[in-house]
């Protein structure tokens, strides 16, 4: 019983770590695509892609992206924020915030 219990705890921990790591990679990919979309002035395509490929809800205000996860009770939980700041009169952007919200 002790060996079985220990095995189950380890498996649950492994599954949790794997799910968190997978989500983090997906959020980083979305953040990188957002940076590219802002730089190339292609936010409409980015929005369509996010709606089609992910289950995250997004909010874009100027050059700030906030991604939220929909919880079971239909509420939203913020999970990721990317903020870009214009430098050189809008020719380039600098990442001023890259935050995983937990």
């Amino acid at each position: 019983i002790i060996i079985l219990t220990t095995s189950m705890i380890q498996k649950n921990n492994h599954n949790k770590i794997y799910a968190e790591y997978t989500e983090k990679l997906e959020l980083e990919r979305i953040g990188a695509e957002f940076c590219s979309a802002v730089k190339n002035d292609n936010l409409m395509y980015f929005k369509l892609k996010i709606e089609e490929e992910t289950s995250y809800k997004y909010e874009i205000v100027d050059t700030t992206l906030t991604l939220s996860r929909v919880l079971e009770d239909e509420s939203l939980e913020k999970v990721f924020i990317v903020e870009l700041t214009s430098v050189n009169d809008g020719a380039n952007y600098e990442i001023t915030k890259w935050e995983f919200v937990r």
Side-chain angles (χ1 to χ4, degrees):
I1 292 174
I2 292 173
I3 292 172
L4 181 62
T5 303
T6 304
S7 299
M8 293 302 292
I9 291 171
Q10 289 297 329
K11 179 65 175 166
N12 287 342
N13 287 342
H14 176 270
N15 289 345
K16 182 180 177 185
I17 290 168
Y18 180 77
E20 289 175 355
Y21 181 73
T22 303
E23 181 183 47
K24 184 177 179 184
L25 285 176
E26 182 178 23
L27 293 172
E28 286 183 347
R29 178 190 61 85
I30 294 169
E33 288 181 6
F34 173 71
C35 293
S36 177
V38 169
K39 180 181 177 185
N40 297 325
D41 195 28
N42 199 5
L43 283 176
M44 290 304 292
Y45 177 71
F46 172 78
K47 291 176 184 179
L48 290 172
K49 191 172 181 182
I50 292 300
E51 291 171 1
E52 291 293 321
E53 293 181 358
T54 72
S55 61
Y56 295 107
K57 299 297 180 189
Y58 68 88
E59 179 183 13
I60 298 175
V61 178
D62 296 325
T63 56
T64 302
L65 168 69
T66 303
L67 292 174
S68 299
R69 176 187 310 125
V70 179
L71 301 176
E72 292 177 7
D73 63 355
E74 302 294 323
S75 64
L76 295 177
E77 173 188 38
K78 289 182 182 177
V79 291
F80 187 61
I81 300 170
V82 176
E83 181 180 293
L84 303 175
T85 302
S86 175
V87 293
N88 298 334
D89 298 326
N92 294 309
Y93 290 91
E94 180 179 278
I95 298 171
T96 52
K97 187 176 204 178
W98 188 276
E99 178 182 356
F100 295 96
V101 182
R102 295 272 179 216

PDB file of all heavy atoms in Angstrom, residues 8 11 23 56:
ATOM      1  N   MET A   8       1.548   6.733  -6.832  1.00  0.00           N
ATOM      2  CA  MET A   8       0.447   7.599  -7.289  1.00  0.00           C
ATOM      3  C   MET A   8       0.758   9.071  -7.023  1.00  0.00           C
ATOM      4  O   MET A   8       0.461   9.927  -7.851  1.00  0.00           O
ATOM      5  CB  MET A   8      -0.865   7.188  -6.611  1.00  0.00           C
ATOM      6  CG  MET A   8      -1.375   5.823  -7.034  1.00  0.00           C
ATOM      7  SD  MET A   8      -1.636   5.698  -8.813  1.00  0.00           S
ATOM      8  CE  MET A   8      -2.997   6.797  -9.009  1.00  0.00           C
ATOM      9  N   LYS A  11       3.275  10.171  -9.631  1.00  0.00           N
ATOM     10  CA  LYS A  11       2.636  10.302 -10.946  1.00  0.00           C
ATOM     11  C   LYS A  11       1.809  11.579 -11.008  1.00  0.00           C
ATOM     12  O   LYS A  11       1.844  12.310 -12.010  1.00  0.00           O
ATOM     13  CB  LYS A  11       1.754   9.071 -11.227  1.00  0.00           C
ATOM     14  CG  LYS A  11       1.038   9.111 -12.540  1.00  0.00           C
ATOM     15  CD  LYS A  11       2.012   9.066 -13.700  1.00  0.00           C
ATOM     16  CE  LYS A  11       1.243   8.994 -15.004  1.00  0.00           C
ATOM     17  NZ  LYS A  11       2.066   9.273 -16.150  1.00  0.00           N
ATOM     18  N   GLU A  23       1.880  24.478 -20.605  1.00  0.00           N
ATOM     19  CA  GLU A  23       1.160  25.747 -20.664  1.00  0.00           C
ATOM     20  C   GLU A  23       2.139  26.918 -20.782  1.00  0.00           C
ATOM     21  O   GLU A  23       1.913  27.843 -21.568  1.00  0.00           O
ATOM     22  CB  GLU A  23       0.280  25.935 -19.433  1.00  0.00           C
ATOM     23  CG  GLU A  23      -0.493  27.242 -19.474  1.00  0.00           C
ATOM     24  CD  GLU A  23      -1.323  27.477 -18.230  1.00  0.00           C
ATOM     25  OE1 GLU A  23      -0.809  27.293 -17.104  1.00  0.00           O
ATOM     26  OE2 GLU A  23      -2.486  27.867 -18.396  1.00  0.00           O
ATOM     27  N   TYR A  56      -7.674  30.325 -24.758  1.00  0.00           N
ATOM     28  CA  TYR A  56      -7.476  31.511 -23.923  1.00  0.00           C
ATOM     29  C   TYR A  56      -8.327  32.673 -24.429  1.00  0.00           C
ATOM     30  O   TYR A  56      -8.557  32.814 -25.621  1.00  0.00           O
ATOM     31  CB  TYR A  56      -6.007  31.950 -23.932  1.00  0.00           C
ATOM     32  CG  TYR A  56      -5.075  30.955 -23.307  1.00  0.00           C
ATOM     33  CD1 TYR A  56      -4.221  30.197 -24.087  1.00  0.00           C
ATOM     34  CD2 TYR A  56      -5.048  30.771 -21.933  1.00  0.00           C
ATOM     35  CE1 TYR A  56      -3.363  29.272 -23.522  1.00  0.00           C
ATOM     36  CE2 TYR A  56      -4.192  29.852 -21.353  1.00  0.00           C
ATOM     37  CZ  TYR A  56      -3.355  29.106 -22.154  1.00  0.00           C
ATOM     38  OH  TYR A  56      -2.519  28.190 -21.593  1.00  0.00           O
TER      39      TYR A  56
END
